[in-house]
Coordinates of all heavy atoms in Angstrom, one line a residue:
M1 N -2.7 22.9 10.9 CA -2.9 21.5 11.3 C -4.2 21.0 10.8 O -5.2 21.7 10.8 CB -2.9 21.4 12.9 CG -3.1 20.0 13.4 SD -3.3 20.1 15.2 CE -4.8 19.0 15.4
T2 N -4.1 19.8 10.2 CA -5.3 19.2 9.6 C -6.2 18.7 10.7 O -5.7 17.9 11.5 CB -4.9 18.1 8.6 OG1 -4.0 18.6 7.7 CG2 -6.2 17.6 7.9
R3 N -7.5 19.0 10.6 CA -8.4 18.4 11.6 C -8.9 17.1 11.1 O -9.0 16.9 9.9 CB -9.6 19.3 11.8 CG -9.2 20.6 12.6 CD -10.4 21.3 13.1 NE -11.3 21.7 12.0 CZ -12.6 21.8 12.2 NH1 -13.2 21.5 13.3 NH2 -13.4 22.2 11.2
R4 N -9.1 16.2 12.0 CA -9.5 14.8 11.6 C -10.8 14.5 12.4 O -11.0 14.9 13.5 CB -8.4 13.8 11.9 CG -7.2 13.9 11.0 CD -6.2 12.9 11.3 NE -5.1 12.9 10.3 CZ -5.0 12.3 9.2 NH1 -6.0 11.4 8.9 NH2 -4.0 12.4 8.4
C5 N -11.6 13.6 11.8 CA -12.8 13.2 12.4 C -12.4 12.4 13.7 O -11.6 11.5 13.6 CB -13.6 12.3 11.4 SG -15.0 11.5 12.2
P6 N -13.0 12.6 14.8 CA -12.7 11.9 16.0 C -13.2 10.4 15.9 O -12.6 9.6 16.7 CB -13.4 12.6 17.1 CG -14.5 13.5 16.5 CD -14.0 13.7 15.1
S7 N -14.1 10.1 15.1 CA -14.6 8.7 15.0 C -13.7 7.9 14.0 O -13.4 6.8 14.4 CB -16.0 8.7 14.5 OG -16.9 9.3 15.5
C8 N -13.5 8.4 12.8 CA -12.8 7.6 11.8 C -11.4 8.1 11.4 O -10.8 7.4 10.6 CB -13.7 7.4 10.6 SG -13.9 8.9 9.6
R9 N -11.0 9.2 11.9 CA -9.7 9.8 11.6 C -9.5 10.3 10.2 O -8.4 10.6 9.8 CB -8.5 8.8 11.9 CG -8.7 8.0 13.2 CD -8.5 8.9 14.4 NE -7.2 9.6 14.4 CZ -7.0 10.8 15.0 NH1 -8.0 11.4 15.7 NH2 -5.8 11.3 15.0
A10 N -10.6 10.4 9.5 CA -10.5 10.9 8.1 C -10.2 12.4 8.2 O -10.6 13.1 9.2 CB -11.8 10.7 7.4
K11 N -9.5 12.9 7.2 CA -9.2 14.3 7.2 C -10.5 15.1 6.9 O -11.3 14.7 6.0 CB -8.2 14.7 6.1 CG -6.8 14.3 6.4 CD -5.8 14.7 5.3 CE -4.5 14.1 5.6 NZ -3.6 14.2 4.4
L12 N -10.7 16.2 7.6 CA -12.0 16.9 7.5 C -11.9 18.0 6.4 O -10.9 18.7 6.4 CB -12.4 17.5 8.8 CG -12.8 16.4 9.9 CD1 -13.1 17.1 11.2 CD2 -14.0 15.6 9.4
P13 N -12.9 18.2 5.6 CA -12.9 19.3 4.7 C -13.2 20.6 5.5 O -13.3 20.6 6.7 CB -14.1 19.0 3.8 CG -15.0 18.2 4.6 CD -14.1 17.4 5.5
A14 N -13.1 21.7 4.7 CA -13.3 23.1 5.4 C -14.5 23.2 6.2 O -14.6 23.9 7.2 CB -13.2 24.1 4.3
S15 N -15.6 22.5 5.8 CA -16.9 22.5 6.5 C -16.7 21.9 7.9 O -17.6 22.1 8.8 CB -17.9 21.8 5.7 OG -17.7 20.4 5.7
G16 N -15.7 21.0 8.1 CA -15.6 20.4 9.4 C -16.5 19.2 9.6 O -16.5 18.5 10.6
R17 N -17.2 18.8 8.5 CA -18.1 17.7 8.6 C -17.5 16.5 7.9 O -17.1 16.5 6.8 CB -19.4 18.1 7.9 CG -20.5 17.1 8.1 CD -21.8 17.6 7.5 NE -22.8 16.5 7.4 CZ -23.6 16.1 8.4 NH1 -23.5 16.7 9.6 NH2 -24.4 15.1 8.2
C18 N -17.4 15.4 8.6 CA -16.8 14.2 8.1 C -17.6 13.6 6.9 O -18.8 13.5 7.0 CB -16.7 13.1 9.2 SG -16.0 11.5 8.6
P19 N -16.9 13.3 5.8 CA -17.6 12.7 4.6 C -18.3 11.4 5.0 O -19.3 11.0 4.3 CB -16.6 12.6 3.6 CG -15.3 12.7 4.3 CD -15.5 13.5 5.5
G20 N -17.8 10.8 6.0 CA -18.5 9.5 6.4 C -19.8 9.7 7.1 O -20.5 8.7 7.4
L21 N -20.2 10.9 7.3 CA -21.5 11.2 8.0 C -22.7 11.2 7.0 O -23.8 11.3 7.5 CB -21.5 12.5 8.8 CG -20.7 12.5 10.1 CD1 -20.5 13.9 10.6 CD2 -21.5 11.6 11.1
A22 N -22.4 11.1 5.7 CA -23.5 11.0 4.8 C -24.5 9.9 5.1 O -24.0 8.8 5.6 CB -23.0 10.9 3.4
P23 N -25.8 10.0 4.9 CA -26.7 9.0 5.2 C -26.4 7.7 4.4 O -26.1 7.8 3.2 CB -28.1 9.5 4.9 CG -27.9 10.8 4.3 CD -26.4 11.2 4.3
L24 N -26.6 6.6 5.0 CA -26.4 5.3 4.3 C -27.6 5.1 3.4 O -28.7 5.7 3.7 CB -26.3 4.1 5.3 CG -25.1 4.2 6.2 CD1 -25.2 3.3 7.4 CD2 -23.8 3.8 5.4
I25 N -27.5 4.3 2.4 CA -28.6 4.0 1.4 C -29.1 2.6 1.7 O -28.3 1.7 1.8 CB -28.0 4.1 0.0 CG1 -27.5 5.5 -0.3 CG2 -29.1 3.7 -1.0 CD1 -27.0 5.6 -1.7
E26 N -30.5 2.5 1.7 CA -31.0 1.2 1.8 C -31.3 0.6 0.4 O -31.8 1.2 -0.5 CB -32.4 1.3 2.6 CG -32.8 -0.1 3.0 CD -34.0 -0.1 3.9 OE1 -34.3 1.0 4.5 OE2 -34.7 -1.1 4.1
H27 N -30.8 -0.7 0.3 CA -30.9 -1.3 -1.0 C -31.0 -2.8 -0.8 O -30.2 -3.4 -0.1 CB -29.6 -1.0 -1.8 CG -29.5 -1.8 -3.1 ND1 -30.3 -1.7 -4.1 CD2 -28.5 -2.7 -3.4 CE1 -29.9 -2.5 -5.1 NE2 -28.8 -3.2 -4.7
E28 N -32.1 -3.4 -1.3 CA -32.3 -4.9 -1.1 C -32.2 -5.3 0.4 O -31.6 -6.3 0.7 CB -31.3 -5.7 -1.9 CG -31.6 -5.5 -3.4 CD -30.7 -6.3 -4.3 OE1 -29.6 -6.8 -3.8 OE2 -31.0 -6.4 -5.5
G29 N -32.8 -4.4 1.2 CA -33.0 -4.8 2.6 C -31.7 -4.6 3.5 O -31.7 -5.0 4.6
R30 N -30.7 -4.0 2.9 CA -29.4 -3.8 3.6 C -29.0 -2.3 3.5 O -29.5 -1.6 2.6 CB -28.3 -4.6 3.1 CG -28.4 -6.1 3.4 CD -27.2 -6.8 3.2 NE -27.1 -7.3 1.8 CZ -26.3 -8.3 1.4 NH1 -25.6 -8.9 2.3 NH2 -26.3 -8.6 0.2
L31 N -28.2 -1.9 4.4 CA -27.7 -0.5 4.4 C -26.3 -0.5 3.7 O -25.4 -1.3 4.1 CB -27.6 0.1 5.8 CG -28.9 0.4 6.5 CD1 -28.7 0.8 7.9 CD2 -29.6 1.6 5.7
W32 N -26.1 0.5 2.8 CA -24.9 0.5 2.0 C -24.3 1.9 2.2 O -25.0 2.9 2.3 CB -25.2 0.3 0.5 CG -25.8 -1.0 0.3 CD1 -27.1 -1.4 0.5 CD2 -25.2 -2.2 -0.3 NE1 -27.3 -2.7 0.2 CE2 -26.2 -3.2 -0.4 CE3 -23.9 -2.4 -0.8 CZ2 -25.9 -4.5 -0.9 CZ3 -23.6 -3.7 -1.3 CH2 -24.6 -4.7 -1.3
G33 N -23.0 2.0 2.1 CA -22.3 3.3 2.1 C -21.0 3.2 1.4 O -20.5 2.0 1.1
I34 N -20.4 4.3 0.9 CA -19.1 4.3 0.3 C -18.1 4.0 1.4 O -18.4 4.0 2.6 CB -18.8 5.6 -0.4 CG1 -18.8 6.8 0.6 CG2 -19.8 5.9 -1.5 CD1 -18.3 8.1 0.1
A35 N -16.9 3.7 1.0 CA -15.8 3.2 1.9 C -15.7 4.2 3.1 O -15.6 3.8 4.2 CB -14.5 3.1 1.2
A36 N -15.8 5.5 2.8 CA -15.6 6.5 3.9 C -16.7 6.4 4.9 O -16.5 6.5 6.1 CB -15.6 7.9 3.3
Q37 N -18.0 6.1 4.5 CA -19.1 6.0 5.4 C -18.9 4.7 6.3 O -19.2 4.8 7.5 CB -20.4 5.9 4.6 CG -20.8 7.2 4.0 CD -22.0 7.0 3.0 OE1 -21.8 6.8 1.8 NE2 -23.2 7.0 3.6
L38 N -18.5 3.6 5.7 CA -18.3 2.4 6.5 C -17.1 2.6 7.5 O -17.2 2.2 8.6 CB -18.1 1.2 5.6 CG -19.4 0.4 5.3 CD1 -20.4 1.2 4.5 CD2 -19.1 -0.9 4.7
A39 N -16.1 3.2 7.0 CA -14.9 3.5 7.9 C -15.4 4.3 9.1 O -15.0 4.0 10.3 CB -13.8 4.2 7.2
H40 N -16.2 5.3 8.8 CA -16.7 6.1 9.9 C -17.7 5.3 10.8 O -17.6 5.4 12.1 CB -17.5 7.4 9.4 CG -18.0 8.3 10.4 ND1 -17.3 9.4 10.8 CD2 -19.1 8.2 11.2 CE1 -17.9 10.0 11.8 NE2 -19.0 9.3 12.0
A41 N -18.6 4.5 10.2 CA -19.5 3.8 11.0 C -18.8 2.8 11.9 O -19.2 2.5 13.1 CB -20.5 3.1 10.1
L42 N -17.8 2.1 11.4 CA -17.1 1.1 12.2 C -16.2 1.7 13.2 O -15.8 1.1 14.2 CB -16.4 0.1 11.2 CG -17.3 -0.7 10.4 CD1 -16.5 -1.5 9.3 CD2 -18.1 -1.7 11.2
G43 N -15.7 2.9 12.9 CA -14.9 3.7 13.9 C -13.5 3.1 14.2 O -13.0 2.3 13.4
G44 N -12.9 3.6 15.3 CA -11.6 3.1 15.7 C -10.6 3.3 14.6 O -10.5 4.4 14.0
D45 N -9.8 2.3 14.2 CA -8.8 2.5 13.2 C -9.1 1.9 11.9 O -8.2 1.6 11.1 CB -7.5 1.9 13.8 CG -7.6 0.4 14.1 OD1 -8.8 -0.1 14.1 OD2 -6.6 -0.2 14.5
V46 N -10.4 1.7 11.6 CA -10.8 1.2 10.3 C -10.7 2.3 9.2 O -11.1 3.4 9.5 CB -12.3 0.7 10.3 CG1 -12.7 0.2 9.0 CG2 -12.5 -0.3 11.4
T47 N -10.0 2.0 8.1 CA -9.8 3.0 7.1 C -10.5 2.6 5.8 O -11.0 1.5 5.7 CB -8.3 3.0 6.7 OG1 -7.9 1.8 6.2 CG2 -7.4 3.4 7.9
E48 N -10.6 3.6 4.9 CA -11.3 3.3 3.6 C -10.6 2.2 2.9 O -11.2 1.3 2.2 CB -11.3 4.6 2.8 CG -12.2 5.7 3.3 CD -12.1 6.9 2.4 OE1 -12.3 6.7 1.2 OE2 -11.9 8.0 2.9
R49 N -9.3 2.2 3.0 CA -8.5 1.1 2.3 C -8.9 -0.3 2.8 O -9.0 -1.2 2.1 CB -7.0 1.4 2.5 CG -6.1 0.3 1.8 CD -4.7 0.6 2.1 NE -4.2 1.8 1.5 CZ -3.7 1.8 0.3 NH1 -3.5 0.6 -0.4 NH2 -3.3 2.9 -0.3
M50 N -9.1 -0.4 4.1 CA -9.5 -1.7 4.7 C -10.8 -2.1 4.2 O -11.0 -3.3 3.9 CB -9.5 -1.6 6.2 CG -8.1 -1.5 6.8 SD -8.1 -0.8 8.5 CE -9.0 -2.1 9.4
I51 N -11.7 -1.2 4.0 CA -13.1 -1.5 3.5 C -12.9 -2.1 2.1 O -13.5 -3.1 1.8 CB -14.0 -0.3 3.6 CG1 -14.2 0.2 5.0 CG2 -15.4 -0.6 2.9 CD1 -14.9 -0.7 5.9
R52 N -12.1 -1.4 1.3 CA -11.9 -1.9 -0.1 C -11.3 -3.3 -0.1 O -11.6 -4.1 -0.9 CB -11.1 -0.9 -0.9 CG -11.9 0.4 -1.1 CD -11.2 1.3 -2.2 NE -11.8 2.6 -2.1 CZ -11.2 3.6 -1.4 NH1 -10.1 3.4 -0.8 NH2 -11.8 4.8 -1.3
N53 N -10.3 -3.5 0.8 CA -9.7 -4.8 0.9 C -10.7 -5.9 1.3 O -10.6 -7.0 0.8 CB -8.5 -4.8 1.9 CG -7.3 -4.1 1.4 OD1 -7.2 -3.9 0.2 ND2 -6.4 -3.7 2.3
Y54 N -11.6 -5.5 2.2 CA -12.6 -6.5 2.6 C -13.4 -7.0 1.3 O -13.8 -8.1 1.2 CB -13.6 -6.0 3.6 CG -12.9 -5.7 4.9 CD1 -13.6 -4.9 5.9 CD2 -11.6 -6.1 5.2 CE1 -13.0 -4.6 7.1 CE2 -11.0 -5.8 6.4 CZ -11.7 -5.1 7.4 OH -11.2 -4.7 8.6
A55 N -13.7 -6.0 0.5 CA -14.5 -6.4 -0.8 C -13.6 -7.2 -1.7 O -14.1 -8.2 -2.3 CB -14.9 -5.1 -1.5
N56 N -12.3 -6.9 -1.8 CA -11.5 -7.7 -2.7 C -11.1 -9.0 -2.2 O -11.0 -10.0 -3.0 CB -10.2 -6.9 -3.0 CG -10.5 -5.6 -3.8 OD1 -11.5 -5.5 -4.5 ND2 -9.6 -4.6 -3.6
R57 N -10.9 -9.1 -0.9 CA -10.3 -10.4 -0.3 C -11.3 -11.2 0.5 O -11.1 -12.4 0.7 CB -9.1 -10.0 0.6 CG -8.0 -9.3 -0.1 CD -7.0 -8.9 0.9 NE -6.0 -8.0 0.4 CZ -5.2 -7.3 1.1 NH1 -5.2 -7.4 2.4 NH2 -4.3 -6.4 0.6
D58 N -12.3 -10.5 1.1 CA -13.1 -11.2 2.1 C -14.6 -11.2 1.7 O -15.5 -11.4 2.6 CB -13.0 -10.5 3.4 CG -11.5 -10.5 3.9 OD1 -11.0 -11.6 4.1 OD2 -10.9 -9.4 4.0
D59 N -14.9 -11.0 0.4 CA -16.3 -11.2 -0.1 C -17.2 -10.2 0.5 O -18.4 -10.5 0.6 CB -16.8 -12.6 0.2 CG -15.9 -13.6 -0.6 OD1 -15.5 -13.3 -1.7 OD2 -15.7 -14.7 -0.1
L60 N -16.8 -9.0 0.9 CA -17.7 -8.0 1.3 C -18.5 -7.6 0.1 O -17.9 -7.2 -0.9 CB -17.0 -6.8 1.9 CG -17.8 -5.5 2.2 CD1 -18.8 -5.8 3.3 CD2 -16.9 -4.4 2.6
P61 N -19.9 -7.6 0.2 CA -20.6 -7.3 -1.0 C -20.4 -5.8 -1.5 O -20.4 -4.9 -0.6 CB -22.1 -7.5 -0.6 CG -22.0 -8.4 0.6 CD -20.7 -8.1 1.3
R62 N -20.3 -5.6 -2.8 CA -20.2 -4.3 -3.3 C -21.3 -4.0 -4.3 O -21.8 -4.9 -4.9 CB -18.8 -4.0 -3.9 CG -18.3 -5.1 -4.8 CD -16.9 -4.8 -5.3 NE -17.0 -3.8 -6.4 CZ -16.0 -2.9 -6.7 NH1 -14.9 -3.0 -6.0 NH2 -16.1 -2.0 -7.6
W63 N -21.7 -2.8 -4.4 CA -22.8 -2.4 -5.3 C -22.4 -1.1 -6.0 O -22.1 -0.1 -5.3 CB -24.0 -2.2 -4.4 CG -25.2 -1.6 -5.1 CD1 -25.7 -1.9 -6.3 CD2 -26.1 -0.6 -4.5 NE1 -26.8 -1.1 -6.6 CE2 -27.0 -0.3 -5.5 CE3 -26.1 0.1 -3.3 CZ2 -28.0 0.6 -5.3 CZ3 -27.1 1.1 -3.1 CH2 -28.0 1.3 -4.1
E64 N -22.4 -1.1 -7.3 CA -22.0 0.1 -8.1 C -23.3 0.8 -8.4 O -24.2 0.2 -9.0 CB -21.2 -0.3 -9.3 CG -19.8 -0.7 -8.9 CD -18.9 -1.0 -10.1 OE1 -19.0 -0.4 -11.1 OE2 -18.2 -2.0 -10.0
Y65 N -23.4 2.0 -8.1 CA -24.6 2.8 -8.2 C -24.3 4.2 -8.4 O -23.5 4.8 -7.7 CB -25.5 2.6 -6.9 CG -26.8 3.4 -6.9 CD1 -27.8 3.2 -7.8 CD2 -26.9 4.4 -5.9 CE1 -28.9 3.9 -7.7 CE2 -28.1 5.1 -5.8 CZ -29.1 4.9 -6.8 OH -30.2 5.7 -6.7
R66 N -24.8 4.8 -9.5 CA -24.5 6.2 -9.8 C -23.0 6.6 -9.7 O -22.6 7.5 -9.1 CB -25.3 7.1 -8.9 CG -26.8 7.0 -9.2 CD -27.5 8.1 -8.4 NE -29.0 8.0 -8.7 CZ -29.9 8.7 -8.1 NH1 -29.6 9.5 -7.1 NH2 -31.2 8.5 -8.4
R67 N -22.2 5.7 -10.4 CA -20.8 6.0 -10.5 C -20.0 6.0 -9.2 O -18.9 6.4 -9.1 CB -20.5 7.3 -11.3 CG -20.9 7.1 -12.7 CD -20.3 8.2 -13.6 NE -20.9 9.5 -13.4 CZ -20.4 10.6 -13.9 NH1 -19.3 10.6 -14.6 NH2 -21.1 11.7 -13.7
S68 N -20.7 5.5 -8.1 CA -20.0 5.3 -6.8 C -20.0 3.8 -6.5 O -20.9 3.1 -7.0 CB -20.6 6.1 -5.7 OG -20.5 7.4 -5.9
V69 N -19.1 3.3 -5.7 CA -19.1 2.0 -5.2 C -19.5 2.0 -3.7 O -18.9 2.7 -2.9 CB -17.7 1.3 -5.4 CG1 -17.8 -0.2 -4.9 CG2 -17.3 1.3 -6.8
Y70 N -20.6 1.2 -3.4 CA -21.1 1.1 -2.1 C -20.8 -0.3 -1.5 O -20.7 -1.3 -2.3 CB -22.6 1.3 -2.1 CG -23.0 2.8 -2.5 CD1 -23.1 3.1 -3.8 CD2 -23.2 3.7 -1.5 CE1 -23.4 4.4 -4.2 CE2 -23.5 5.0 -1.9 CZ -23.6 5.4 -3.2 OH -23.9 6.6 -3.6
F71 N -20.7 -0.3 -0.2 CA -20.4 -1.6 0.5 C -21.4 -1.8 1.6 O -22.0 -0.8 2.1 CB -19.0 -1.5 1.1 CG -17.9 -1.2 0.1 CD1 -17.5 0.1 -0.1 CD2 -17.3 -2.2 -0.6 CE1 -16.5 0.4 -1.1 CE2 -16.3 -1.9 -1.6 CZ -15.9 -0.6 -1.8
A72 N -21.7 -3.1 1.9 CA -22.8 -3.4 2.8 C -22.3 -3.3 4.2 O -21.4 -4.1 4.6 CB -23.3 -4.8 2.5
L73 N -22.9 -2.4 5.0 CA -22.4 -2.2 6.4 C -22.5 -3.4 7.2 O -21.6 -3.8 8.0 CB -23.2 -1.0 7.0 CG -22.9 -0.8 8.5 CD1 -21.4 -0.4 8.7 CD2 -23.8 0.3 9.1
E74 N -23.7 -4.1 7.2 CA -23.9 -5.2 8.1 C -23.0 -6.4 7.8 O -22.8 -7.3 8.6 CB -25.3 -5.6 8.3 CG -26.0 -6.1 7.0 CD -27.5 -5.9 7.1 OE1 -28.0 -4.8 6.9 OE2 -28.2 -6.9 7.3
D75 N -22.5 -6.5 6.5 CA -21.6 -7.5 6.2 C -20.1 -7.1 6.6 O -19.3 -8.0 6.8 CB -21.6 -7.8 4.7 CG -23.0 -8.3 4.3 OD1 -23.2 -9.6 4.3 OD2 -23.9 -7.5 4.0
A76 N -19.9 -5.8 6.6 CA -18.5 -5.4 6.9 C -18.2 -5.6 8.4 O -17.1 -5.9 8.8 CB -18.4 -3.9 6.6
A77 N -19.2 -5.4 9.3 CA -19.0 -5.4 10.7 C -18.5 -6.8 11.2 O -17.5 -6.8 11.9 CB -20.3 -5.1 11.5
P78 N -19.1 -7.9 10.7 CA -18.5 -9.2 11.2 C -17.1 -9.5 10.6 O -16.3 -10.1 11.2 CB -19.5 -10.3 10.8 CG -20.4 -9.6 9.8 CD -20.4 -8.1 10.1
I79 N -16.8 -9.1 9.4 CA -15.5 -9.2 8.8 C -14.5 -8.5 9.6 O -13.4 -9.0 10.0 CB -15.5 -8.7 7.3 CG1 -16.4 -9.6 6.4 CG2 -14.0 -8.7 6.8 CD1 -16.6 -9.1 5.0
E80 N -14.8 -7.2 9.9 CA -13.9 -6.4 10.7 C -13.7 -7.1 12.1 O -12.6 -7.1 12.6 CB -14.5 -5.0 10.8 CG -14.0 -4.2 12.0 CD -12.5 -4.0 11.9 OE1 -11.8 -4.2 10.9 OE2 -12.0 -3.5 13.0
G81 N -14.8 -7.6 12.7 CA -14.7 -8.2 14.0 C -13.8 -9.4 14.0 O -12.9 -9.6 14.9
A82 N -13.9 -10.2 12.9 CA -13.1 -11.4 12.8 C -11.6 -11.1 12.6 O -10.7 -11.7 13.2 CB -13.5 -12.3 11.6
K83 N -11.3 -10.0 11.8 CA -9.9 -9.6 11.6 C -9.3 -9.1 12.9 O -8.2 -9.4 13.3 CB -9.9 -8.3 10.7 CG -10.4 -8.6 9.3 CD -9.3 -9.2 8.5 CE -9.9 -9.4 7.1 NZ -9.1 -10.4 6.3
R84 N -10.1 -8.4 13.7 CA -9.6 -7.8 14.9 C -9.3 -8.9 15.9 O -8.3 -8.8 16.7 CB -10.7 -6.9 15.5 CG -10.3 -5.9 16.5 CD -11.4 -5.0 16.9 NE -11.7 -4.1 15.8 CZ -11.3 -2.8 15.8 NH1 -10.5 -2.4 16.7 NH2 -11.6 -2.0 14.8
R85 N -10.1 -9.9 15.9 CA -9.9 -11.0 16.9 C -8.8 -12.0 16.4 O -8.3 -12.8 17.2 CB -11.1 -11.8 17.1 CG -12.2 -11.1 18.0 CD -13.3 -12.0 18.4 NE -14.1 -12.4 17.2 CZ -15.1 -11.8 16.6 NH1 -15.5 -10.7 17.2 NH2 -15.7 -12.2 15.6
S86 N -8.4 -12.0 15.1 CA -7.5 -13.0 14.6 C -6.1 -12.9 15.1 O -5.4 -13.8 15.2 CB -7.5 -13.0 13.1 OG -6.8 -11.9 12.6
G87 N -5.7 -11.6 15.5 CA -4.4 -11.4 16.0 C -3.3 -11.4 14.9 O -2.2 -11.2 15.2
R88 N -3.8 -11.5 13.6 CA -2.8 -11.4 12.5 C -2.7 -10.0 12.1 O -3.6 -9.2 12.3 CB -3.3 -12.3 11.4 CG -3.2 -13.8 11.8 CD -3.8 -14.7 10.7 NE -3.2 -14.4 9.4 CZ -3.8 -14.8 8.2 NH1 -4.9 -15.4 8.2 NH2 -3.2 -14.5 7.1
G89 N -1.6 -9.7 11.3 CA -1.5 -8.4 10.8 C -1.0 -7.4 11.9 O -0.6 -7.8 12.9
R90 N -1.2 -6.1 11.5 CA -0.7 -5.1 12.5 C -1.6 -5.1 13.7 O -2.7 -5.5 13.7 CB -0.7 -3.8 11.8 CG -2.0 -3.2 11.6 CD -1.9 -1.9 10.7 NE -3.2 -1.5 10.1 CZ -4.0 -0.7 10.8 NH1 -3.8 -0.3 12.0 NH2 -5.2 -0.5 10.2
R91 N -1.0 -4.6 14.8 CA -1.8 -4.5 16.1 C -2.9 -3.6 15.9 O -2.8 -2.5 15.3 CB -0.8 -3.9 17.1 CG -0.7 -4.8 18.3 CD 0.3 -4.1 19.3 NE -0.4 -4.0 20.6 CZ -0.4 -4.9 21.5 NH1 0.3 -6.0 21.3 NH2 -1.1 -4.8 22.6
R92 N -4.1 -3.9 16.5 CA -5.3 -3.1 16.3 C -5.7 -2.5 17.6 O -5.5 -3.1 18.7 CB -6.4 -4.1 15.8 CG -6.0 -4.8 14.5 CD -6.0 -3.8 13.4 NE -7.2 -3.0 13.3 CZ -8.3 -3.3 12.8 NH1 -8.4 -4.5 12.2 NH2 -9.4 -2.6 12.8
Q93 N -6.3 -1.4 17.5 CA -6.9 -0.8 18.7 C -8.2 -1.5 19.0 O -8.9 -2.1 18.2 CB -7.4 0.7 18.4 CG -6.3 1.6 18.0 CD -6.8 2.9 17.5 OE1 -8.0 3.2 17.5 NE2 -5.9 3.8 17.0
L94 N -8.5 -1.5 20.3 CA -9.8 -2.1 20.7 C -10.9 -1.0 20.6 O -10.6 0.1 21.0 CB -9.7 -2.7 22.1 CG -8.9 -4.0 22.1 CD1 -8.7 -4.4 23.6 CD2 -9.5 -5.1 21.3
D95 N -12.0 -1.4 20.2 CA -13.1 -0.4 20.1 C -14.4 -1.0 20.4 O -14.9 -1.8 19.7 CB -13.0 0.2 18.6 CG -14.1 1.2 18.4 OD1 -14.7 1.7 19.4 OD2 -14.3 1.6 17.2
A96 N -15.1 -0.5 21.5 CA -16.4 -1.0 21.8 C -17.4 -0.7 20.8 O -18.4 -1.4 20.7 CB -16.8 -0.5 23.2
G97 N -17.2 0.4 20.0 CA -18.2 0.8 19.0 C -18.4 -0.3 18.0 O -19.5 -0.4 17.5
L98 N -17.4 -1.1 17.7 CA -17.6 -2.1 16.7 C -18.6 -3.1 17.2 O -19.4 -3.6 16.4 CB -16.2 -2.8 16.5 CG -16.3 -4.0 15.6 CD1 -16.5 -3.5 14.1 CD2 -15.1 -4.9 15.7
V99 N -18.6 -3.5 18.4 CA -19.6 -4.4 19.0 C -21.0 -4.0 18.7 O -21.9 -4.7 18.3 CB -19.3 -4.7 20.5 CG1 -20.3 -5.7 21.0 CG2 -17.9 -5.2 20.6
A100 N -21.2 -2.7 18.9 CA -22.6 -2.1 18.7 C -22.9 -2.2 17.2 O -24.1 -2.4 16.8 CB -22.6 -0.7 19.2
A101 N -21.9 -2.0 16.3 CA -22.2 -2.0 14.9 C -22.5 -3.4 14.4 O -23.2 -3.6 13.4 CB -21.0 -1.4 14.1
A102 N -21.9 -4.4 15.0 CA -22.1 -5.8 14.6 C -23.4 -6.3 15.2 O -24.3 -6.6 14.6 CB -20.9 -6.7 15.1
Ligands
LIG1 ZN1 -15.6 10.2 10.3

C-alpha cells in the first residue's frame, strides 16, 4: 500500500518525507515553492495540478529558477479560497488550515 502525506495526500517516497516539506524560498519579499510545496502548505484536497492551473488561468505568479518553476504561496491562498467558496466545479472538502494560510 502506498503511503500518502496526511496533509496534502501526495504519494510519499521511501524516506516517508513529503516532497512538499522542502523549505520555501524567499524572493522579492514573497515565499515561493514548487507545486508540491504549495499543495502541501494549502493542505486539504489541493493538488499540484490545481496549483499549475491557478498559474495558467488565475494569474498566480510563477517564477522560473534553476530549472524549476516556483509559485507564490501568499497569492495562491486567496485564489484557492475564492475557488472553494465559489461552489463551482467539483465538491470541495472544507479545511480550516486554508484560513490560516491566507
Ligand atoms: Zn505533503
Side-chain angles (χ1 to χ4, degrees):
M1 181 186 130
T2 308
R3 289 196 301 151
R4 289 181 177 270
C5 172
S7 292
C8 70
R9 314 293 304 152
K11 283 182 190 166
L12 293 176
S15 69
R17 189 173 165 82
C18 177
L21 282 169
L24 297 162
I25 298 179
E26 193 172 341
H27 169 66
E28 293 181 345
R30 288 194 273 203
L31 288 173
W32 301 74
I34 60 171
Q37 289 171 266
L38 264 65
H40 183 96
L42 293 172
D45 55 357
V46 179
T47 64
E48 293 181 48
R49 178 184 293 269
M50 288 162 63
I51 299 296
R52 294 195 193 93
N53 283 344
Y54 295 167
N56 292 334
R57 301 176 191 163
D58 301 297
D59 298 322
L60 173 63
R62 49 182 282 152
W63 170 45
E64 288 182 39
Y65 175 65
R66 292 188 181 173
R67 294 197 285 172
S68 293
V69 181
Y70 294 83
F71 304 92
L73 174 61
E74 61 202 77
D75 297 271
I79 294 171
E80 161 58 15
K83 298 277 183 202
R84 198 174 287 264
R85 285 189 299 270
S86 76
R88 291 173 54 198
R90 73 187 162 90
R91 234 181 127 89
R92 303 291 310 278
Q93 297 170 8
L94 289 176
D95 179 12
L98 176 72
V99 178

